[in-house]
Amino acid sequence: KRGIIILERVPHGFYEQEMKSYFSQFGEVTRLRLSRNKKTGRSKHYAFLEFSNESVAEIVADTMNNYLLFGHILKCRVLKELEPEQIEKLFKGANKRFKVIPRSKLAKRDNDKAKPEERWQKLVVREEQRRQEKKAQLEKLGIDYD
C-alpha cells in the first residue's frame, strides 16, 4: 500500500524538482504535486507526496514534521483512509512541470483579431447611440457640442 503525506508551510524556492530530489533520500517518490495559483503560478505553500510504501511515508512524516527549512517550519503528516477518487483528485496534474499561461497575451490576441462585418456594424451603431445620448445630456446643460 502506498503512503501519502501532506507537506504544509512549504517555503518559496522549494519547488517540485527540489522536493523530489530531497524526499527521494527516504524512498521512492511515485507522485508529487505542489499546489499552485492558476493565474500567477506561485506556490500555495502545500504539497502532496506519494511514496511507494506506507512505512516510508510515516518515517518521512515523523522526520520532517517541525523541520526548519529556509526559515519556515514545515508541517508534515500522513493522510490515511482516503478513497481512490480522493487520491486521484489530490494528484491531478502531478509530476508535470508547471508552465504559466500568458493570459494577458491571449487576451490581447483575442482583442486584436479581426472582427466579422456584422459585429463591427453593431459596435459602430452602439458608439453612435452613445454619442447622441451624451450630446443630448450636454444640450440639457446648455453646452453646444459640435
Short mmCIF file of all heavy atoms in Angstrom, two decimals, residues 43-65:
data_model
loop_
_atom_site.label_atom_id
_atom_site.label_comp_id
_atom_site.label_asym_id
_atom_site.label_seq_id
_atom_site.Cartn_x
_atom_site.Cartn_y
_atom_site.Cartn_z
N SER A 43 3.47 29.36 -5.71
CA SER A 43 3.13 28.25 -4.83
C SER A 43 2.06 28.66 -3.82
O SER A 43 2.03 29.79 -3.35
CB SER A 43 4.39 27.82 -4.07
OG SER A 43 4.07 26.92 -3.05
N LYS A 44 1.18 27.70 -3.49
CA LYS A 44 0.19 27.91 -2.43
C LYS A 44 0.71 27.37 -1.10
O LYS A 44 -0.02 27.32 -0.12
CB LYS A 44 -1.13 27.22 -2.78
CG LYS A 44 -1.89 27.90 -3.89
CD LYS A 44 -3.24 27.25 -4.04
CE LYS A 44 -4.06 27.87 -5.14
NZ LYS A 44 -5.36 27.21 -5.26
N HIS A 45 1.97 26.95 -1.08
CA HIS A 45 2.69 26.54 0.12
C HIS A 45 2.21 25.24 0.75
O HIS A 45 2.33 25.05 1.95
CB HIS A 45 2.71 27.67 1.16
CG HIS A 45 3.25 28.95 0.60
ND1 HIS A 45 4.57 29.12 0.29
CD2 HIS A 45 2.63 30.10 0.25
CE1 HIS A 45 4.75 30.33 -0.20
NE2 HIS A 45 3.59 30.94 -0.25
N TYR A 46 1.64 24.35 -0.06
CA TYR A 46 1.38 22.99 0.42
C TYR A 46 1.53 22.02 -0.75
O TYR A 46 1.36 22.40 -1.90
CB TYR A 46 0.02 22.85 1.10
CG TYR A 46 -1.19 23.03 0.22
CD1 TYR A 46 -1.79 21.94 -0.37
CD2 TYR A 46 -1.73 24.29 0.00
CE1 TYR A 46 -2.92 22.09 -1.17
CE2 TYR A 46 -2.84 24.46 -0.80
CZ TYR A 46 -3.43 23.35 -1.37
OH TYR A 46 -4.54 23.51 -2.17
N ALA A 47 1.90 20.80 -0.40
CA ALA A 47 2.17 19.80 -1.44
C ALA A 47 1.72 18.43 -0.95
O ALA A 47 1.60 18.18 0.25
CB ALA A 47 3.65 19.77 -1.78
N PHE A 48 1.47 17.54 -1.91
CA PHE A 48 1.13 16.16 -1.63
C PHE A 48 2.20 15.27 -2.25
O PHE A 48 2.59 15.48 -3.40
CB PHE A 48 -0.24 15.80 -2.23
CG PHE A 48 -1.36 16.62 -1.67
CD1 PHE A 48 -1.87 17.70 -2.38
CD2 PHE A 48 -1.92 16.32 -0.44
CE1 PHE A 48 -2.90 18.46 -1.87
CE2 PHE A 48 -2.94 17.08 0.08
CZ PHE A 48 -3.44 18.15 -0.63
N LEU A 49 2.68 14.32 -1.48
CA LEU A 49 3.70 13.39 -1.95
C LEU A 49 3.20 11.97 -1.74
O LEU A 49 2.62 11.66 -0.70
CB LEU A 49 5.01 13.57 -1.19
CG LEU A 49 5.81 14.82 -1.50
CD1 LEU A 49 5.49 15.88 -0.49
CD2 LEU A 49 7.26 14.49 -1.49
N GLU A 50 3.45 11.13 -2.72
CA GLU A 50 3.08 9.72 -2.61
C GLU A 50 4.36 8.89 -2.68
O GLU A 50 5.17 9.07 -3.59
CB GLU A 50 2.15 9.32 -3.75
CG GLU A 50 1.68 7.88 -3.66
CD GLU A 50 0.80 7.51 -4.84
OE1 GLU A 50 1.30 7.56 -5.98
OE2 GLU A 50 -0.36 7.16 -4.60
N PHE A 51 4.54 8.03 -1.67
CA PHE A 51 5.70 7.15 -1.62
C PHE A 51 5.27 5.73 -1.95
O PHE A 51 4.10 5.36 -1.81
CB PHE A 51 6.32 7.19 -0.22
CG PHE A 51 6.99 8.49 0.08
CD1 PHE A 51 6.30 9.51 0.72
CD2 PHE A 51 8.30 8.71 -0.28
CE1 PHE A 51 6.90 10.71 0.99
CE2 PHE A 51 8.93 9.92 -0.01
CZ PHE A 51 8.22 10.93 0.63
N SER A 52 6.23 4.93 -2.38
CA SER A 52 5.91 3.56 -2.79
C SER A 52 5.46 2.70 -1.60
O SER A 52 4.68 1.77 -1.79
CB SER A 52 7.11 2.92 -3.48
OG SER A 52 8.24 2.99 -2.63
N ASN A 53 5.90 3.01 -0.38
CA ASN A 53 5.50 2.25 0.81
C ASN A 53 4.89 3.17 1.85
O ASN A 53 5.32 4.30 2.02
CB ASN A 53 6.70 1.55 1.45
CG ASN A 53 7.22 0.41 0.61
OD1 ASN A 53 6.46 -0.22 -0.10
ND2 ASN A 53 8.52 0.18 0.68
N GLU A 54 3.91 2.65 2.56
CA GLU A 54 3.26 3.44 3.61
C GLU A 54 4.21 3.66 4.79
O GLU A 54 4.19 4.72 5.42
CB GLU A 54 1.99 2.72 4.08
CG GLU A 54 1.11 3.57 4.95
CD GLU A 54 -0.22 2.90 5.25
OE1 GLU A 54 -0.34 1.68 5.05
OE2 GLU A 54 -1.12 3.62 5.70
N SER A 55 5.06 2.70 5.05
CA SER A 55 6.02 2.84 6.17
C SER A 55 7.01 3.97 5.90
O SER A 55 7.39 4.69 6.82
CB SER A 55 6.76 1.53 6.40
OG SER A 55 7.48 1.16 5.25
N VAL A 56 7.40 4.14 4.65
CA VAL A 56 8.31 5.24 4.29
C VAL A 56 7.62 6.58 4.52
O VAL A 56 8.23 7.52 5.05
CB VAL A 56 8.76 5.11 2.81
CG1 VAL A 56 9.54 6.34 2.37
CG2 VAL A 56 9.58 3.86 2.61
N ALA A 57 6.34 6.68 4.16
CA ALA A 57 5.59 7.92 4.37
C ALA A 57 5.51 8.26 5.85
O ALA A 57 5.63 9.43 6.23
CB ALA A 57 4.20 7.80 3.77
N GLU A 58 5.31 7.26 6.70
CA GLU A 58 5.26 7.50 8.15
C GLU A 58 6.61 7.98 8.68
O GLU A 58 6.68 8.89 9.51
CB GLU A 58 4.80 6.24 8.87
CG GLU A 58 3.35 5.92 8.63
CD GLU A 58 2.92 4.59 9.22
OE1 GLU A 58 3.74 3.94 9.89
OE2 GLU A 58 1.76 4.21 8.99
N ILE A 59 7.68 7.42 8.18
CA ILE A 59 9.03 7.84 8.58
C ILE A 59 9.27 9.29 8.15
O ILE A 59 9.80 10.10 8.92
CB ILE A 59 10.10 6.89 8.00
CG1 ILE A 59 10.00 5.52 8.65
CG2 ILE A 59 11.50 7.47 8.17
CD1 ILE A 59 10.82 4.46 7.98
N VAL A 60 8.88 9.62 6.92
CA VAL A 60 9.05 10.98 6.41
C VAL A 60 8.23 11.96 7.24
O VAL A 60 8.73 13.03 7.61
CB VAL A 60 8.63 11.07 4.92
CG1 VAL A 60 8.58 12.51 4.45
CG2 VAL A 60 9.58 10.26 4.07
N ALA A 61 7.00 11.61 7.57
CA ALA A 61 6.14 12.49 8.36
C ALA A 61 6.74 12.74 9.74
O ALA A 61 6.75 13.87 10.23
CB ALA A 61 4.74 11.92 8.47
N ASP A 62 7.26 11.70 10.37
CA ASP A 62 7.88 11.85 11.69
C ASP A 62 9.15 12.69 11.61
O ASP A 62 9.40 13.53 12.47
CB ASP A 62 8.21 10.48 12.31
CG ASP A 62 6.96 9.71 12.69
OD1 ASP A 62 5.90 10.35 12.86
OD2 ASP A 62 7.04 8.47 12.81
N THR A 63 9.94 12.45 10.59
CA THR A 63 11.22 13.15 10.47
C THR A 63 11.03 14.61 10.07
O THR A 63 11.70 15.49 10.62
CB THR A 63 12.09 12.45 9.39
OG1 THR A 63 12.19 11.08 9.71
CG2 THR A 63 13.47 13.07 9.33
N MET A 64 10.16 14.88 9.13
CA MET A 64 10.05 16.22 8.55
C MET A 64 9.05 17.12 9.26
O MET A 64 8.99 18.31 8.96
CB MET A 64 9.69 16.13 7.07
CG MET A 64 10.74 15.43 6.23
SD MET A 64 12.36 16.17 6.36
CE MET A 64 12.07 17.76 5.63
N ASN A 65 8.27 16.60 10.18
CA ASN A 65 7.33 17.46 10.91
C ASN A 65 8.13 18.40 11.82
O ASN A 65 9.03 17.97 12.53
CB ASN A 65 6.35 16.62 11.73
CG ASN A 65 5.18 17.45 12.20
OD1 ASN A 65 4.79 18.42 11.56
ND2 ASN A 65 4.63 17.07 13.32
#
